[in-house]
Amino acid sequence: MTTTITSHHFLSTCSVLGSVLDLEGGFKQDKRHHPVLQAACYLIWELKLSQMMRSKNSNKHYFTKMGSRKKVHAFVRVRPTDDFAHEMIKYRDDNKTIDIHLKKDSRRGVVNNQQTDWSFKLDRVLHDASQDLVYETVAKDVVSQALNGFNGTIMCYGQTGAGKTYTMTGATESYKHRGILPRALQQVFKMIEERPTHAITVRVSYLEIYNESLFDLLSTLPYVGPSVTPMTIVENPQGVFIKGLSVHLTSQEEDAFSLLFEGETNRIIASHTMNKNSSRSHCIFTIYVEARSRTLSDEKYVTSKINLVDLAGSERLGKSRSEGRVLKEATYINKSLSFLEQAIIALGDQKRDHIPFRQCKLTHALKDSLGGNCNMVLVTNIYGEAAQLEETLSSLRFASRMKLVTTEPTVNEKYDAERMVRNLEKELALLKQELAIHDSLANRTLVNYDPMDEIQIAEINSQVRRYLEGTLEEIDIINLRQIQEVFNQFRVVLSQQEQEVESTLRRKYTLIDKNDYAAISAVQKAGLVDADGHLVGEPDGQGFGLGVAPFSTKPGKKSKSKKMFKEQLSSSARKEGASSPLSGKDLDVSTSKTQLTPSSKDGDVKDMVVRDRETSNTEPLASDSPKEELRPPRPSTPPAKPVAFEDFKNERGSEINRIFKENKSILNERRKRASETTQRINAIKREIDMTKEALNLQKSLREKQGEYENKGLMIIDEEEFLLILKLKDLKKQYRTEYQDLRDLRAEIQYCQHLVDQCRHRLLTEFDIWYNESFFVPEDLQMAVKPGGSIRPGMMPLSKIVSLVSGTGWGWGWWTSTGQCPLPPPQA
Ligand code: ADP
Ligand code: MG
């Protein structure tokens, strides 16, 4: 029993909320953060969680009302005539197909490819049909669906005199021959009577479009008053509406009828006073319906509108041989009807995503009533006479195009915000009770669903810490708020730990921000990093075996390593010699991007920079310089490689180091230029795309408006011309920049090659120098010097082997650097 109730409430509330949250515009945007709504959502998920805890099969799907695709219904109504062309127009028994047969035009000569037979299959052919039957066939369903929230459109199309107005309005003086309009109003009010459970309001408006101007056929009513500004068509997420068009609430059938008569009278008067032919204008009578349930609990209500459209006569311009005002009228009509046709062709084409609704007032005003989400019906009125056969054919073609259009009728559901909050409050109370029942069934007493206080949050924090330490096995799930808070506290603990790690590092080292250029240049001067901010010896961030090794000596022996660093940094290291044995581990350079230098607390970097400069950053020492002669005796222990490397760069390696740095800075400069050029190219490309788009738009506009030609030359307007010039110019710029970039890339590749070569030479020569300086007997060194008997790097192996084994150095060091030029020692 409990489960049944629960599911019911859960489902109903979910569907209500789901719909609210899915609702476009209105409530979703404004009220989503309403506290009641949030609380309801929260409780629903709490309840879901609770259900999950009790049983695992809570996987339900909730559907929203979706419309299914539907074809437009197209009917043909044939105007009765004594002169019906039986020879040419034939109906098939299915009551749907109409065959047209045209006699060959003998004037066209012997070669005559003229088509003479057509067949059109529609939804129904209404021949000699009464107004009653027409209404039943064409309009009844559309109107009854409107009361359920579906929009509907019924349109009459055809040449003047074919019976459009007769079908739509009917013979006003004869009740029996009344048309769709009065019958639709009757049906609406009849259905309202049959639905006492709903409060249904009906409003109507009557719009006329004549020569691309909008007229309100109900503006003459005393309470409306003349409109100050001209009417405009406005679009918003809810649809299209006509700003300035009067919309009239009608509580009963009689009111609606008098509005209809008022409109019809105005239509006739206007046609006289403005000397216009009433068949040259489009008239749209709209019935707006809004249905709310009378039961308090339902906050949903549906709205819909039924557009009843009496189109202007579709006959073509050429036939009427009109001039002056009549010509202007005819042009407007031809245009708007051909735009209607274009829109319909586009709607019928599944691949088209743009429908040209805004080309004229008619299609723009009907934008949300053509295709889209409404029930749509077309009545094509035709004459059955032989003389009118050409117009009949064109009308039937229009009808068959219309038949290709599909629509997806959907209910227009809206929400009453006030009712909704009231209902949600009720639902909330109910859900709380529901939860209490669930908790007691699951023996989960004392579960609190209120927001957490500080003490509870602190407790969760402690649980998370214990869990991370491993002293707590698992964290029990209590409710949704608690789960969320556990995650929150995970985040808190994590960020605290990050901070702790960072402050520990800061206590021990000076961390240099990669963007802090002042600090970087200080350490650069100290020779700890190169121009790129990489550790010395690090090629573009990838360690290659040399670096600031002593920094990584065990943090436990802080004071000792500190001292060692200072000693090794200064060139006097060679004199004094390092006291600790040099191992492979010492040369193991971290490839980390964070640059570590000793904390200034432990030894001032600046101070060391100065000392370093004083001692070693003087004129590069040539190997045969007098200073070399003065070099103090070789230390008994060779210095660490990083330190020795510094010395090497200032001495024998100074020239190659200078070239290396020079190449590197050229490389960096080229890279920077390449990246700037790339950015410029991208910007130009973007502009080219935009210009192309604008140009296409212009072109399509031109095509739509009809192209002008002068002696075979296309005439384009200034805007388009300027765009073409701009595009040309941009393309030129693009080519130039692109060529530059290609050149730069080639240069970069070349420079990179040089830099790599220099680096390699620097390292190779350093290795040689290092070996010779510290492992070659003094007497042999003389022979290595320029002018000596041995070229540098060509040391007899046996000398070195004996030397190395003699000093008791382990092989591990050589092998770990991977640069050992020597065979392993004999056992
Ligand atoms: P349209 O609006 O297409 O120009 P109308 O509806 O004004 O044409 O019709 C022209 C004339 O033909 C009117 O006098 C109308 O009463 C008459 N008529 C049209 N269709 C029918 C019909 N089905 N039955 C009787 N009379 C009709
Ligand atoms: Mg008419």
Side-chain angles (χ1 to χ4, degrees):
M1 180 64 187
T2 318
T3 320
T4 327
I5 296 169
T6 309
S7 310
H8 164 71
H9 286 126
F10 178 62
L11 285 173
S12 67
T13 315
C14 260
S15 76
V16 167
L17 283 168
S19 320
V20 172
L21 295 171
D22 282 340
L23 188 70
E24 259 185 58
F27 200 79
K28 183 183 175 186
Q29 304 300 327
D30 309 326
K31 308 288 192 319
R32 183 187 267 184
H33 300 297
H34 195 288
V36 178
L37 198 84
Q38 281 184 339
C41 284
Y42 175 75
L43 268 180
I44 285 164
W45 286 109
E46 199 65 78
L47 192 57
K48 177 129 176 109
L49 194 74
S50 165
Q51 283 184 325
M52 272 160 58
M53 283 167 152
R54 291 186 54 206
S55 76
K56 289 217 155 61
N57 71 30
S58 52
N59 224 356
K60 297 227 162 73
H61 298 285
Y62 310 106
F63 296 98
T64 50
K65 251 178 233 167
M66 288 284 289
S68 53
R69 294 201 75 83
K70 207 171 165 179
K71 290 264 179 214
V72 167
H73 284 136
F75 302 99
V76 178
R77 188 181 194 186
V78 190
R79 185 190 149 169
T81 168
D82 295 336
D83 196 14
F84 187 79
H86 293 284
E87 306 273 282
M88 300 175 171
I89 305 171
K90 292 209 163 61
Y91 311 122
R92 290 199 199 159
D93 292 341
D94 62 359
N95 261 344
K96 291 180 178 182
T97 313
I98 183 164
D99 293 326
I100 308 277
H101 172 74
L102 198 75
K103 275 190 216 133
K104 278 208 177 185
D105 188 345
S106 53
R107 282 169 300 172
R108 287 199 176 198
V110 193
V111 183
N112 191 344
N113 293 329
Q114 190 189 1
Q115 187 180 351
T116 53
D117 290 282
W118 291 267
S119 184
F120 300 93
K121 188 169 181 184
L122 301 146
D123 288 289
R124 178 142 181 204
V125 178
L126 296 154
H127 183 72
D128 273 338
S130 67
Q131 294 283 64
D132 239 350
L133 177 66
V134 170
Y135 186 79
E136 290 284 324
T137 317
V138 165
K140 200 176 176 192
D141 281 352
V142 176
V143 174
S144 77
Q145 287 271 58
L147 266 86
N148 298 329
F150 293 93
N151 288 344
T153 301
I154 303 171
M155 229 166 20
C156 285
Y157 180 95
Q159 72 183 108
T160 301
K164 297 183 295 297
T165 307
Y166 182 80
T167 304
M168 204 41 97
T169 316
T172 23
E173 67 281 4
S174 153
Y175 182 76
K176 198 181 159 206
H177 296 129
R178 68 198 186 284
I180 292 172
L181 274 180
R183 284 171 202 262
L185 286 169
Q186 272 176 316
Q187 191 190 339
V188 167
F189 283 102
K190 189 161 171 268
M191 286 178 76
I192 291 174
E193 258 173 44
E194 288 164 4
R195 281 193 201 184
T197 51
H198 284 74
I200 300 174
T201 55
V202 179
R203 290 178 173 81
V204 300
S205 69
Y206 208 170
L207 174 76
E208 184 175 28
I209 304 174
Y210 175 67
N211 286 2
E212 283 305 90
S213 298
L214 307 170
F215 296 93
D216 184 354
L217 287 174
L218 297 177
S219 66
T220 47
L221 289 162
Y223 54 88
V224 177
S227 153
V228 194
T229 49
M231 286 190 282
T232 44
I233 302 171
V234 181
E235 284 180 51
N236 67 15
Q238 274 79 47
V240 177
F241 72 97
I242 318 288
K243 204 171 142 196
L245 178 68
S246 62
V247 180
H248 305 261
L249 184 71
T250 51
S251 50
Q252 47 188 335
E253 212 173 307
E254 295 89 89
D255 296 348
F257 281 157
S258 62
L259 286 167
L260 176 60
F261 290 139
E262 179 78 19
E264 289 302 326
T265 314
N266 283 337
R267 206 172 150 185
I268 295 161
I269 292 172
S271 74
H272 285 291
T273 52
M274 290 174 74
N275 193 23
K276 74 176 193 209
N277 186 337
S278 69
S279 72
R280 294 267 183 236
S281 66
H282 312 289
C283 289
I284 306 172
F285 187 88
T286 309
I287 309 172
Y288 307 83
V289 182
E290 196 176 290
R292 286 164 199 265
S293 164
R294 285 190 199 276
T295 53
L296 239 187
S297 67
D298 198 0
E299 63 274 340
K300 256 189 292 186
Y301 67 98
V302 294
T303 63
S304 63
K305 57 180 176 182
I306 313 166
N307 281 307
L308 303 164
V309 190
D310 183 357
L311 291 168
S314 63
E315 58 277 8
R316 276 161 303 156
L317 175 63
K319 206 177 174 187
S320 50
R321 285 212 189 83
S322 32
E323 38 182 59
R325 182 184 55 82
V326 183
L327 175 72
K328 185 179 165 194
E329 274 179 349
T331 314
Y332 276 123
I333 292 154
N334 276 1
K335 266 195 179 162
S336 64
L337 287 178
S338 83
F339 286 143
L340 176 67
E341 197 161 341
Q342 278 179 26
I344 279 157
I345 291 170
L347 282 166
D349 183 353
Q350 305 282 335
K351 284 178 259 140
R352 282 279 285 271
D353 49 1
H354 173 72
I355 313 293
F357 282 118
R358 301 177 75 158
Q359 299 190 108
C360 67
K361 296 278 190 308
L362 175 70
T363 49
H364 198 189
L366 289 175
K367 185 179 170 182
D368 59 356
S369 309
L370 288 174
N373 72 345
C374 66
N375 287 306
M376 229 186 120
V377 173
L378 174 80
V379 181
T380 304
N381 293 91
I382 58 165
Y383 258 114
E385 291 173 12
Q388 310 297 334
L389 210 65
E390 222 172 303
E391 290 300 338
T392 298
L393 262 174
S394 123
S395 296
L396 288 172
R397 278 194 204 106
F398 181 83
S400 43
R401 269 183 214 126
M402 194 66 149
K403 253 196 82 60
L404 297 177
V405 178
T406 52
T407 66
E408 198 169 344
T410 32
V411 178
N412 299 301
E413 269 179 348
K414 299 211 169 118
Y415 287 84
D416 181 326
E418 250 174 63
R419 274 191 182 191
M420 176 134 197
V421 170
R422 264 202 311 270
N423 290 345
L424 285 173
E425 274 169 347
K426 271 194 205 166
E427 197 70 30
L428 255 175
L430 218 113
L431 285 167
K432 277 187 175 168
Q433 288 172 5
E434 197 70 71
L435 261 175
I437 295 171
H438 273 264
D439 286 338
S440 71
L441 286 175
N443 283 331
R444 284 164 24 107
T445 47
L446 293 173
V447 179
N448 183 5
Y449 295 98
D450 295 332
M452 295 203 169
D453 59 22
E454 278 171 32
I455 301 167
Q456 287 166 314
I457 292 174
E459 170 55 25
I460 290 181
N461 182 290
S462 129
Q463 280 182 350
V464 168
R465 280 178 192 282
R466 278 180 284 143
Y467 178 78
L468 287 172
E469 282 159 13
T471 50
L472 184 66
E473 272 292 295
E474 49 191 34
I475 299 172
D476 287 330
I477 288 175
I478 299 167
N479 61 27
L480 192 69
R481 278 195 213 276
Q482 178 247 2
I483 294 173
Q484 284 171 342
E485 197 50 50
V486 167
F487 278 106
N488 253 347
Q489 291 310 315
F490 262 110
R491 188 156 56 193
V492 169
V493 171
L494 183 73
S495 87
Q496 279 170 353
Q497 286 191 347
E498 264 174 15
Q499 278 167 15
E500 276 166 28
V501 169
E502 196 182 320
S503 62
T504 311
L505 282 172
R506 278 190 192 284
R507 255 181 275 126
K508 221 181 285 175
Y509 305 104
T510 302
L511 293 173
I512 299 171
D513 184 344
K514 284 232 164 196
N515 298 318
D516 186 348
Y517 300 109
I520 288 178
S521 83
V523 283
Q524 266 167 14
K525 280 180 193 151
L528 295 172
V529 292
D530 66 13
D532 291 342
H534 297 139
L535 289 171
V536 171
E538 182 187 3
D540 299 331
Q542 298 147 28
F544 64 89
L546 273 176
V548 283
F551 301 2
S552 64
T553 44
K554 287 188 190 78
K557 301 169 185 170
K558 213 190 272 175
S559 56
K560 196 181 165 196
S561 59
K562 234 188 297 168
K563 196 169 158 232
M564 223 167 69
F565 167 70
K566 279 190 191 172
E567 287 165 359
Q568 287 174 337
L569 194 72
S570 80
S571 60
S572 60
R574 228 204 272 186
K575 281 178 240 162
E576 291 155 20
S579 57
S580 73
L582 193 57
S583 70
K585 217 165 133 196
D586 288 317
L587 275 161
D588 189 10
V589 174
S590 147
T591 52
S592 152
K593 288 262 178 192
T594 315
Q595 297 152 5
L596 299 176
T597 63
S599 162
S600 54
K601 207 169 70 190
D602 301 335
D604 196 346
V605 176
K606 274 189 210 143
D607 181 47
M608 288 184 289
V609 174
V610 175
R611 273 207 283 155
D612 193 22
R613 271 213 216 118
E614 281 167 0
T615 52
S616 64
N617 202 12
T618 48
E619 280 281 288
L621 299 172
S623 51
D624 54 350
S625 74
K627 275 182 187 161
E628 184 80 5
E629 246 70 287
L630 294 175
R631 211 166 64 175
R634 197 165 63 187
S636 58
T637 314
K641 271 201 163 188
V643 181
F645 188 59
E646 285 308 303
D647 287 346
F648 169 75
K649 281 195 296 186
N650 289 322
E651 290 174 34
R652 196 197 290 172
S654 72
E655 184 56 17
I656 179 73
N657 189 42
R658 189 185 60 72
I659 298 168
F660 172 67
K661 277 187 176 167
E662 203 176 278
N663 287 343
K664 203 147 181 184
S665 86
I666 294 170
L667 177 67
N668 285 339
E669 191 270 337
R670 295 289 191 280
R671 276 188 183 150
K672 202 170 142 235
R673 262 169 53 190
S675 121
E676 283 162 359
T677 312
T678 310
Q679 270 169 23
R680 274 201 303 278
I681 287 175
N682 287 340
I684 294 170
K685 180 77 180 60
R686 274 195 297 277
E687 227 191 326
I688 286 178
D689 289 345
M690 264 149 56
T691 315
K692 270 189 187 160
E693 222 171 273
L695 201 56
N696 283 341
L697 194 75
Q698 282 286 327
K699 209 172 136 193
S700 71
L701 270 178
R702 170 158 54 79
E703 278 164 11
K704 264 178 219 150
Q705 285 164 359
E707 296 174 341
Y708 299 99
E709 271 191 20
N710 186 12
K711 290 175 194 157
L713 289 172
M714 185 74 67
I715 295 181
I716 52 170
D717 66 8
E718 197 189 30
E719 204 174 329
E720 198 177 341
F721 180 64
L722 290 175
L723 282 171
I724 292 170
L725 283 188
K726 189 179 172 191
L727 190 64
K728 209 175 148 193
D729 187 36
L730 282 169
K731 281 184 175 170
K732 199 175 146 200
Q733 281 180 42
Y734 185 89
R735 275 195 295 274
T736 321
E737 293 282 4
Y738 198 77
Q739 185 55 43
D740 284 355
L741 183 65
R742 270 208 336 233
D743 294 347
L744 275 169
R745 278 187 185 150
E747 273 187 76
I748 287 170
Q749 201 189 356
Y750 185 67
C751 286
Q752 181 68 60
H753 179 72
L754 289 183
V755 166
D756 292 344
Q757 235 177 15
C758 282
R759 181 183 290 123
H760 181 74
R761 231 186 101 192
L762 197 63
L763 292 177
T764 323
E765 289 193 20
F766 166 68
D767 271 338
I768 295 164
W769 172 84
Y770 190 82
N771 294 340
E772 287 175 359
S773 303
F774 303 104
F775 298 101
V776 175
E778 305 270 353
D779 56 324
L780 238 170
Q781 286 201 356
M782 294 307 288
V784 173
K785 279 187 181 170
S789 55
I790 301 173
R791 265 200 299 137
M794 300 303 284
M795 197 73 59
L797 276 184
S798 56
K799 283 275 177 194
I800 302 167
V801 173
S802 64
L803 175 87
V804 172
S805 41
T807 52
W809 286 99
W811 290 96
W813 182 84
W814 288 100
T815 45
S816 72
T817 62
Q819 293 167 16
C820 174
L822 310 172
Q826 307 297 314

